[in-house]
């Protein structure tokens, strides 16, 4: 009887320790690797979408302006009331990006910097990317558009793909922002470029400067992701490339579990 109580006590202690570990805030300064991977995935995913439909699924500034231009056509004297395919794709991307970002509200309940939420949120991104890969595979459409007037993706399943990848980027952006690091959102690098060029220590190459170096890592990771994404696209197509992206995101979701926690200030 005593042995049974000891076993139950040990199990309870183990579960308590595991819960404490999972719900401990990570140290943002030691999360350079997974945040760089986030930036890499931004370039990787955008390479797929832009090559097919000339829409940036992670950068919603362009999509917002494009929709403004679409509305302006109603008043240009020619009365063009058609809903162009490019405008439909931009609207689909924007709406699903917002919906994906809304899912990040779950992190407010779990703790937006906890290992548990960062791993779970990234796993949700993984599922979205997998769904996008399956959708574009089933669509049977090509990977690269010949021109802006002739997008490679036009059918319903391709819109499903755009929706899922945009939702994954919206969720990633909010999660990146909530970590409150030099990597900012990991999806919008215009601000990162501006902050880098405004950094007083930009040309101080004799020592490490976190505020500068992490921004350079973010930009470099995004560039590398775009380069490799397009290289894979030419080799294995959209579905295969998104399949690789699914695997990479799953690795990042596990990675978050091993990021050191934030130590209490003395």
């Amino acid at each position: 009887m005593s042995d049974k109580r000891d076993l139950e006590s040990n199990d309870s202690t183990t579960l308590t320790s595991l819960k404490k570990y999972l719900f401990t805030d990570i140290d943002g300064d030691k999360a350079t690797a997974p945040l760089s991977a986030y930036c890499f995935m931004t370039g990787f995913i955008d390479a797929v979408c832009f090559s097919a439909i000339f829409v940036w699924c992670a950068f919603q500034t362009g999509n917002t302006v494009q929709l403004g231009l679409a509305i302006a056509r109603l008043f240009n004297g020619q009365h063009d009331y058609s809903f162009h395919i490019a405008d439909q794709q931009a609207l689909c991307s924007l709406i699903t990006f917002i919906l994906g970002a809304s899912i990040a509200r779950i992190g407010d309940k779990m703790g937006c910097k906890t290992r548990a939420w960062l791993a779970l949120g990234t796993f949700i991104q993984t599922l979205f990317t997998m769904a996008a890969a399956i959708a574009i595979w089933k669509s049977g459409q090509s990977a690269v558009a010949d021109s802006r007037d002739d997008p490679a993706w036009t059918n319903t399943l391709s819109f499903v793909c755009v929706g899922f990848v945009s939702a994954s980027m919206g969720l990633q952006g909010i999660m990146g922002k909530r970590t409150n690091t030099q990597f900012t959102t990991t999806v919008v690098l215009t601000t990162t470029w501006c902050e880098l060029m405004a950094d007083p220590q930009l040309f101080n190459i004799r020592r490490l400067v976190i505020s500068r170096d992490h921004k350079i890592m973010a930009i470099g990771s995004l560039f590398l992701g775009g380069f490799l994404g397009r290289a894979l696209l030419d080799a294995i197509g959209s579905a295969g490339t998104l399949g690789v992206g699914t695997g990479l995101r799953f690795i990042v979701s596990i990675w978050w579990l091993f990021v050191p926690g934030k130590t209490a200030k003395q």
Side-chain angles (χ1 to χ4, degrees):
M1 196 70 176
S2 177
D3 291 341
K4 184 177 180 180
R5 283 197 298 267
D6 289 343
L7 183 60
E8 291 176 350
S9 177
N10 290 335
D11 289 342
S12 176
T13 301
T14 301
L15 289 174
T16 301
S17 298
L18 178 61
K19 183 177 180 181
K20 181 179 179 181
Y21 180 82
L22 291 176
F23 285 89
T24 296
D25 285 358
I26 58 101
D27 187 342
D29 292 336
K30 297 178 181 178
T32 303
L35 288 171
S36 294
Y38 267 17
C39 294
F40 176 90
M41 290 308 303
T42 298
F44 192 89
I45 295 295
D46 267 336
V48 177
C49 294
F50 189 79
S51 296
I53 59 175
F54 300 98
V55 167
W56 303 109
C57 288
F59 311 142
Q60 295 303 320
T61 302
N63 293 336
T64 304
V65 174
Q66 183 173 333
L67 292 173
L69 297 176
I71 294 174
R73 284 200 303 270
L74 301 174
F75 308 100
N76 66 359
Q78 299 178 4
H79 303 294
D80 181 2
Y81 297 114
S82 60
F83 195 10
H84 297 185
I85 184 68
D87 300 331
Q88 295 175 36
Q89 290 164 336
L91 180 61
C92 174
S93 178
L94 179 60
I95 291 174
T96 52
F97 183 94
I98 293 170
L99 292 175
S102 299
I103 296 175
R105 293 291 180 182
I106 298 173
D108 294 342
K109 304 295 184 181
M110 297 178 61
C112 59
K113 295 183 182 181
T114 61
R115 294 187 182 98
W117 165 241
L118 290 168
L120 175 61
T122 307
F123 183 68
I124 295 173
Q125 296 170 34
T126 303
L127 296 178
F128 285 167
T129 309
M130 180 177 67
I134 294 171
I136 203 60
W137 171 53
K138 288 293 187 179
S139 75
Q141 302 216 283
S142 59
V144 180
D146 295 325
S147 67
R148 286 183 179 271
D149 295 331
D150 186 24
W153 298 351
T154 55
N155 64 19
T156 302
L157 282 175
S158 69
F159 274 84
V160 173
C161 174
V162 171
F164 274 117
V165 291
S166 297
S168 74
M169 297 314 303
L171 176 56
Q172 177 188 303
I174 301 304
M175 291 176 64
K177 179 63 177 177
R178 292 286 178 83
T179 60
N180 193 28
T181 66
Q182 298 297 328
F183 289 86
T184 62
T185 65
T186 73
V187 298
V188 181
L189 267 69
T190 302
T191 302
T192 305
W193 272 110
C194 292
E195 291 178 351
L196 174 64
M197 300 312 297
D199 195 312
Q201 302 296 321
L202 177 61
F203 298 109
N204 188 356
I205 61 175
R206 295 181 180 275
R207 66 186 184 90
L208 297 176
V209 180
I210 290 179
S211 63
R212 175 201 63 197
D213 299 342
H214 283 188
K215 291 184 179 70
I216 292 174
M217 290 179 65
I219 294 167
S221 297
L222 183 137
F223 178 87
L224 181 62
F227 173 80
L228 293 179
R230 180 52 196 255
L232 278 176
L233 195 64
D234 291 334
I236 60 177
S238 300
T241 303
L242 288 174
V244 173
T246 300
L248 292 174
R249 275 191 154 150
F250 180 73
I251 292 171
V252 178
S253 68
I254 301 300
W255 205 337
W256 282 116
L257 297 175
F258 300 97
V259 175
K262 184 180 293 185
T263 56
K265 294 182 177 180
Q266 299 296 328

